Amino acid sequence: FGRLKSSFGKCDRRLVVMRFDLVALHGVILQTLAETTTKPNIVWFLTDDQDQLLGGSFPVGESGATPMPKTKRLMQDGGATATNWYIHTPICSPSRSELLTGRYFHNIKQVGGQGWGMHVNYSKVNPNTFGRTLKEEGGYTTGLFGKYLNEMPDTVPPGWDAWLANGGGSYIAPAFQTKGIRGLPDGQVHFDSDPANYTTAIVGNRSIAWIKEVAKTGKPFLAYIAPKAAHEPFNPAPWYRDHWDPSWPAREPITKNWNVSLESRKGHHGNIA
């Protein structure tokens, strides 16, 4: 999360750390909860635009180089990888909406709408998240921290006890819609341009503080943590701006599509080489 002064520490319940990119299967979640006597705590990380070629997602490529060696040690080396995982709509807000609801895109789409909404019918998403399912049917305390969806609701959707969310916002001086965050008023909070207010650090520190607090209650919890990074404009934290890890290659890998011509892309969608 950047410059953090705290860590997760120990929790009374089993901690399950996940980093997924698409559909949360609600039925599987509820079946798992029904079959276990102790409900696991869930910390769900969702990241954005991590580059596979440059080692920004896991497992990393043949070079072994990655801009996130700490995360690699924790998640790739110390965790599990889903090797048979398929993404239905691998782009932005549709993908996030499918993850939150467990629904394929044709079940939550609409014709028209704002361009940045990407044809998602958000009235089918906001009241139907797996966070609400876990809270109302599983007895979980729930918190969402970071990027929610491209179109933010006017009020906090049902099912979330803690809410520090935006549609992505700015890396520096970000604004968030808030509810139930200790030290912050409910409503809207706009942080100033102090370098310490880098958006990932805010999301990280606030989520960790919340986890430490709710872990003491004896109830299972869900922490959904979704920093803006590494979405464009790809601004690093100020304390990493000039950092260079010795494990990184002198230059980025060059594949056959590196110098792809305009002619070869003729007739292709602008986002697809």
Side-chain angles (χ1 to χ4, degrees):
F1 285 130
R3 182 179 293 168
L4 302 182
K5 298 181 180 178
S6 54
S7 61
F8 282 111
K10 295 182 178 179
C11 298
D12 294 334
R13 299 176 181 270
R14 183 158 54 97
L15 183 66
V16 180
V17 179
M18 305 182 200
R19 186 263 183 211
F20 285 165
D21 286 315
L22 192 58
V23 179
L25 300 177
H26 299 193
V28 173
I29 291 174
L30 292 177
Q31 179 181 353
T32 301
L33 295 177
E35 294 174 352
T36 58
T37 56
T38 302
K39 297 176 181 178
N41 297 322
I42 303 171
V43 179
W44 188 296
F45 293 101
L46 176 64
T47 56
D48 202 345
D49 290 352
Q50 291 182 201
D51 192 290
Q52 179 69 47
L53 182 63
L54 300 180
S57 58
F58 306 119
V60 299
E62 295 180 2
S63 69
T66 173
M68 300 184 296
K70 297 177 183 178
T71 309
K72 176 180 178 294
R73 287 195 298 271
L74 286 170
M75 292 192 169
Q76 177 181 312
D77 301 344
T81 300
T83 58
N84 197 28
W85 190 272
Y86 296 92
I87 297 174
H88 186 236
T89 313
I91 185 170
C92 208
S93 206
S95 183
R96 291 175 181 270
S97 299
E98 292 168 358
L99 184 153
L100 284 160
T101 61
R103 297 178 177 181
Y104 289 115
F105 187 61
H106 57 262
N107 291 320
I108 57 172
K109 72 178 182 179
Q110 69 175 355
V111 176
Q114 301 290 342
W116 57 85
M118 298 184 171
H119 303 294
V120 174
N121 185 337
Y122 292 97
S123 68
K124 295 183 178 180
V125 179
N126 293 320
N128 297 301
T129 66
F130 76 94
R132 184 178 186 180
T133 301
L134 286 173
K135 177 177 174 59
E136 296 182 357
E137 299 184 36
Y140 274 66
T141 302
T142 58
L144 186 146
F145 306 85
K147 183 174 180 178
Y148 178 53
L149 297 169
N150 284 14
E151 286 191 20
M152 287 293 292
D154 294 330
T155 59
V156 177
W160 300 101
D161 297 296
W163 182 264
L164 180 77
N166 60 23
S170 303
Y171 278 106
I172 300 296
F176 293 90
Q177 187 182 49
T178 53
K179 171 193 169 186
I181 304 296
R182 185 178 294 277
L184 297 178
D186 290 354
Q188 297 285 335
V189 174
H190 193 164
F191 290 86
D192 63 30
S193 58
D194 187 307
N197 288 331
Y198 183 71
T199 182
T200 310
I202 292 173
V203 169
N205 283 317
R206 294 288 178 172
S207 62
I208 288 174
W210 182 83
I211 288 172
K212 287 186 171 183
E213 183 177 342
V214 299
K216 299 175 183 177
T217 66
K219 291 181 60 178
F221 65 82
L222 162 71
Y224 178 108
I225 304 172
K228 174 186 175 73
H231 195 284
E232 58 84 21
F234 318 112
N235 294 333
W239 46 90
Y240 283 133
R241 184 171 295 148
D242 298 317
H243 176 73
W244 187 266
D245 191 274
S247 68
W248 297 346
R251 63 171 300 162
E252 65 275 13
I254 297 179
T255 61
K256 62 181 180 180
N257 65 336
W258 179 261
N259 289 319
V260 63
S261 68
L262 181 63
E263 181 63 26
S264 68
R265 296 184 62 198
K266 187 177 181 180
H268 287 214
H269 189 282
N271 289 341
I272 304 172

PDB file of all heavy atoms in Angstrom, residues 211-229:
ATOM      1  N   ILE A 211      -9.683  -3.086   9.915  1.00  0.00           N
ATOM      2  CA  ILE A 211      -9.532  -4.514  10.161  1.00  0.00           C
ATOM      3  C   ILE A 211      -9.110  -4.768  11.604  1.00  0.00           C
ATOM      4  O   ILE A 211      -9.645  -5.652  12.291  1.00  0.00           O
ATOM      5  CB  ILE A 211      -8.509  -5.127   9.178  1.00  0.00           C
ATOM      6  CG1 ILE A 211      -9.112  -5.196   7.773  1.00  0.00           C
ATOM      7  CG2 ILE A 211      -8.080  -6.524   9.632  1.00  0.00           C
ATOM      8  CD1 ILE A 211      -8.132  -5.602   6.699  1.00  0.00           C
ATOM      9  N   LYS A 212      -8.145  -3.997  12.094  1.00  0.00           N
ATOM     10  CA  LYS A 212      -7.695  -4.181  13.476  1.00  0.00           C
ATOM     11  C   LYS A 212      -8.830  -3.946  14.463  1.00  0.00           C
ATOM     12  O   LYS A 212      -8.909  -4.610  15.508  1.00  0.00           O
ATOM     13  CB  LYS A 212      -6.529  -3.232  13.762  1.00  0.00           C
ATOM     14  CG  LYS A 212      -5.228  -3.633  13.099  1.00  0.00           C
ATOM     15  CD  LYS A 212      -4.098  -2.746  13.551  1.00  0.00           C
ATOM     16  CE  LYS A 212      -2.762  -3.260  13.066  1.00  0.00           C
ATOM     17  NZ  LYS A 212      -1.625  -2.441  13.559  1.00  0.00           N
ATOM     18  N   GLU A 213      -9.694  -3.016  14.126  1.00  0.00           N
ATOM     19  CA  GLU A 213     -10.809  -2.688  15.017  1.00  0.00           C
ATOM     20  C   GLU A 213     -11.866  -3.789  15.008  1.00  0.00           C
ATOM     21  O   GLU A 213     -12.292  -4.266  16.064  1.00  0.00           O
ATOM     22  CB  GLU A 213     -11.421  -1.355  14.595  1.00  0.00           C
ATOM     23  CG  GLU A 213     -12.542  -0.874  15.487  1.00  0.00           C
ATOM     24  CD  GLU A 213     -13.077   0.488  15.065  1.00  0.00           C
ATOM     25  OE1 GLU A 213     -12.369   1.196  14.313  1.00  0.00           O
ATOM     26  OE2 GLU A 213     -14.193   0.847  15.483  1.00  0.00           O
ATOM     27  N   VAL A 214     -12.292  -4.212  13.826  1.00  0.00           N
ATOM     28  CA  VAL A 214     -13.381  -5.190  13.754  1.00  0.00           C
ATOM     29  C   VAL A 214     -12.918  -6.592  14.131  1.00  0.00           C
ATOM     30  O   VAL A 214     -13.737  -7.430  14.555  1.00  0.00           O
ATOM     31  CB  VAL A 214     -14.036  -5.198  12.354  1.00  0.00           C
ATOM     32  CG1 VAL A 214     -14.627  -3.837  12.039  1.00  0.00           C
ATOM     33  CG2 VAL A 214     -13.052  -5.629  11.273  1.00  0.00           C
ATOM     34  N   ALA A 215     -11.620  -6.873  13.993  1.00  0.00           N
ATOM     35  CA  ALA A 215     -11.121  -8.203  14.350  1.00  0.00           C
ATOM     36  C   ALA A 215     -11.284  -8.494  15.837  1.00  0.00           C
ATOM     37  O   ALA A 215     -11.290  -9.658  16.243  1.00  0.00           O
ATOM     38  CB  ALA A 215      -9.652  -8.336  13.943  1.00  0.00           C
ATOM     39  N   LYS A 216     -11.414  -7.440  16.636  1.00  0.00           N
ATOM     40  CA  LYS A 216     -11.547  -7.623  18.085  1.00  0.00           C
ATOM     41  C   LYS A 216     -12.981  -7.971  18.506  1.00  0.00           C
ATOM     42  O   LYS A 216     -13.204  -8.323  19.665  1.00  0.00           O
ATOM     43  CB  LYS A 216     -11.114  -6.343  18.802  1.00  0.00           C
ATOM     44  CG  LYS A 216      -9.665  -5.948  18.560  1.00  0.00           C
ATOM     45  CD  LYS A 216      -9.360  -4.595  19.199  1.00  0.00           C
ATOM     46  CE  LYS A 216      -7.946  -4.151  18.915  1.00  0.00           C
ATOM     47  NZ  LYS A 216      -7.672  -2.794  19.480  1.00  0.00           N
ATOM     48  N   THR A 217     -13.936  -7.852  17.589  1.00  0.00           N
ATOM     49  CA  THR A 217     -15.341  -8.020  17.961  1.00  0.00           C
ATOM     50  C   THR A 217     -15.774  -9.478  18.042  1.00  0.00           C
ATOM     51  O   THR A 217     -16.821  -9.787  18.608  1.00  0.00           O
ATOM     52  CB  THR A 217     -16.257  -7.306  16.951  1.00  0.00           C
ATOM     53  OG1 THR A 217     -16.152  -7.956  15.666  1.00  0.00           O
ATOM     54  CG2 THR A 217     -15.862  -5.842  16.810  1.00  0.00           C
ATOM     55  N   GLY A 218     -15.003 -10.369  17.439  1.00  0.00           N
ATOM     56  CA  GLY A 218     -15.385 -11.769  17.438  1.00  0.00           C
ATOM     57  C   GLY A 218     -16.293 -12.161  16.295  1.00  0.00           C
ATOM     58  O   GLY A 218     -16.657 -13.332  16.155  1.00  0.00           O
ATOM     59  N   LYS A 219     -16.681 -11.200  15.445  1.00  0.00           N
ATOM     60  CA  LYS A 219     -17.517 -11.493  14.285  1.00  0.00           C
ATOM     61  C   LYS A 219     -16.649 -11.616  13.038  1.00  0.00           C
ATOM     62  O   LYS A 219     -15.611 -10.954  12.927  1.00  0.00           O
ATOM     63  CB  LYS A 219     -18.547 -10.374  14.075  1.00  0.00           C
ATOM     64  CG  LYS A 219     -19.625 -10.279  15.130  1.00  0.00           C
ATOM     65  CD  LYS A 219     -20.590  -9.135  14.796  1.00  0.00           C
ATOM     66  CE  LYS A 219     -21.270  -9.346  13.455  1.00  0.00           C
ATOM     67  NZ  LYS A 219     -22.245  -8.255  13.150  1.00  0.00           N
ATOM     68  N   PRO A 220     -17.058 -12.441  12.089  1.00  0.00           N
ATOM     69  CA  PRO A 220     -16.293 -12.514  10.835  1.00  0.00           C
ATOM     70  C   PRO A 220     -16.437 -11.213  10.052  1.00  0.00           C
ATOM     71  O   PRO A 220     -17.437 -10.502  10.174  1.00  0.00           O
ATOM     72  CB  PRO A 220     -16.958 -13.678  10.090  1.00  0.00           C
ATOM     73  CG  PRO A 220     -18.362 -13.698  10.605  1.00  0.00           C
ATOM     74  CD  PRO A 220     -18.257 -13.298  12.057  1.00  0.00           C
ATOM     75  N   PHE A 221     -15.432 -10.887   9.247  1.00  0.00           N
ATOM     76  CA  PHE A 221     -15.488  -9.651   8.480  1.00  0.00           C
ATOM     77  C   PHE A 221     -15.034  -9.862   7.045  1.00  0.00           C
ATOM     78  O   PHE A 221     -14.280 -10.785   6.727  1.00  0.00           O
ATOM     79  CB  PHE A 221     -14.640  -8.546   9.135  1.00  0.00           C
ATOM     80  CG  PHE A 221     -13.159  -8.823   9.160  1.00  0.00           C
ATOM     81  CD1 PHE A 221     -12.354  -8.570   8.054  1.00  0.00           C
ATOM     82  CD2 PHE A 221     -12.553  -9.323  10.301  1.00  0.00           C
ATOM     83  CE1 PHE A 221     -10.989  -8.812   8.068  1.00  0.00           C
ATOM     84  CE2 PHE A 221     -11.181  -9.572  10.337  1.00  0.00           C
ATOM     85  CZ  PHE A 221     -10.399  -9.321   9.219  1.00  0.00           C
ATOM     86  N   LEU A 222     -15.519  -8.985   6.190  1.00  0.00           N
ATOM     87  CA  LEU A 222     -15.068  -8.873   4.802  1.00  0.00           C
ATOM     88  C   LEU A 222     -14.470  -7.496   4.614  1.00  0.00           C
ATOM     89  O   LEU A 222     -15.123  -6.481   4.882  1.00  0.00           O
ATOM     90  CB  LEU A 222     -16.232  -9.051   3.829  1.00  0.00           C
ATOM     91  CG  LEU A 222     -15.993  -8.529   2.385  1.00  0.00           C
ATOM     92  CD1 LEU A 222     -14.993  -9.414   1.646  1.00  0.00           C
ATOM     93  CD2 LEU A 222     -17.307  -8.430   1.609  1.00  0.00           C
ATOM     94  N   ALA A 223     -13.225  -7.437   4.160  1.00  0.00           N
ATOM     95  CA  ALA A 223     -12.593  -6.175   3.761  1.00  0.00           C
ATOM     96  C   ALA A 223     -12.318  -6.245   2.265  1.00  0.00           C
ATOM     97  O   ALA A 223     -11.486  -7.038   1.819  1.00  0.00           O
ATOM     98  CB  ALA A 223     -11.299  -5.946   4.535  1.00  0.00           C
ATOM     99  N   TYR A 224     -13.041  -5.446   1.490  1.00  0.00           N
ATOM    100  CA  TYR A 224     -12.885  -5.379   0.041  1.00  0.00           C
ATOM    101  C   TYR A 224     -12.003  -4.164  -0.226  1.00  0.00           C
ATOM    102  O   TYR A 224     -12.400  -3.026   0.041  1.00  0.00           O
ATOM    103  CB  TYR A 224     -14.270  -5.230  -0.587  1.00  0.00           C
ATOM    104  CG  TYR A 224     -14.326  -5.106  -2.097  1.00  0.00           C
ATOM    105  CD1 TYR A 224     -14.806  -6.155  -2.871  1.00  0.00           C
ATOM    106  CD2 TYR A 224     -13.970  -3.929  -2.751  1.00  0.00           C
ATOM    107  CE1 TYR A 224     -14.915  -6.043  -4.254  1.00  0.00           C
ATOM    108  CE2 TYR A 224     -14.067  -3.810  -4.126  1.00  0.00           C
ATOM    109  CZ  TYR A 224     -14.542  -4.863  -4.870  1.00  0.00           C
ATOM    110  OH  TYR A 224     -14.637  -4.735  -6.242  1.00  0.00           O
ATOM    111  N   ILE A 225     -10.789  -4.399  -0.719  1.00  0.00           N
ATOM    112  CA  ILE A 225      -9.779  -3.340  -0.834  1.00  0.00           C
ATOM    113  C   ILE A 225      -9.372  -3.211  -2.299  1.00  0.00           C
ATOM    114  O   ILE A 225      -8.820  -4.140  -2.885  1.00  0.00           O
ATOM    115  CB  ILE A 225      -8.564  -3.657   0.050  1.00  0.00           C
ATOM    116  CG1 ILE A 225      -9.016  -3.869   1.507  1.00  0.00           C
ATOM    117  CG2 ILE A 225      -7.527  -2.547  -0.039  1.00  0.00           C
ATOM    118  CD1 ILE A 225      -7.924  -4.383   2.421  1.00  0.00           C
ATOM    119  N   ALA A 226      -9.653  -2.051  -2.890  1.00  0.00           N
ATOM    120  CA  ALA A 226      -9.463  -1.878  -4.331  1.00  0.00           C
ATOM    121  C   ALA A 226      -8.792  -0.541  -4.634  1.00  0.00           C
ATOM    122  O   ALA A 226      -9.458   0.441  -4.975  1.00  0.00           O
ATOM    123  CB  ALA A 226     -10.805  -1.977  -5.050  1.00  0.00           C
ATOM    124  N   PRO A 227      -7.468  -0.459  -4.528  1.00  0.00           N
ATOM    125  CA  PRO A 227      -6.789   0.799  -4.844  1.00  0.00           C
ATOM    126  C   PRO A 227      -6.899   1.146  -6.329  1.00  0.00           C
ATOM    127  O   PRO A 227      -7.089   0.266  -7.171  1.00  0.00           O
ATOM    128  CB  PRO A 227      -5.333   0.513  -4.452  1.00  0.00           C
ATOM    129  CG  PRO A 227      -5.209  -0.969  -4.538  1.00  0.00           C
ATOM    130  CD  PRO A 227      -6.546  -1.525  -4.137  1.00  0.00           C
ATOM    131  N   LYS A 228      -6.775   2.417  -6.637  1.00  0.00           N
ATOM    132  CA  LYS A 228      -6.807   2.876  -8.027  1.00  0.00           C
ATOM    133  C   LYS A 228      -5.641   2.301  -8.830  1.00  0.00           C
ATOM    134  O   LYS A 228      -5.807   1.925  -9.999  1.00  0.00           O
ATOM    135  CB  LYS A 228      -6.751   4.407  -8.061  1.00  0.00           C
ATOM    136  CG  LYS A 228      -6.637   5.018  -9.462  1.00  0.00           C
ATOM    137  CD  LYS A 228      -6.451   6.532  -9.363  1.00  0.00           C
ATOM    138  CE  LYS A 228      -6.221   7.167 -10.721  1.00  0.00           C
ATOM    139  NZ  LYS A 228      -7.438   7.210 -11.544  1.00  0.00           N
ATOM    140  N   ALA A 229      -4.472   2.255  -8.233  1.00  0.00           N
ATOM    141  CA  ALA A 229      -3.270   1.806  -8.928  1.00  0.00           C
ATOM    142  C   ALA A 229      -3.454   0.385  -9.470  1.00  0.00           C
ATOM    143  O   ALA A 229      -4.115  -0.440  -8.855  1.00  0.00           O
ATOM    144  CB  ALA A 229      -2.083   1.865  -7.967  1.00  0.00           C
TER     145      ALA A 229
END
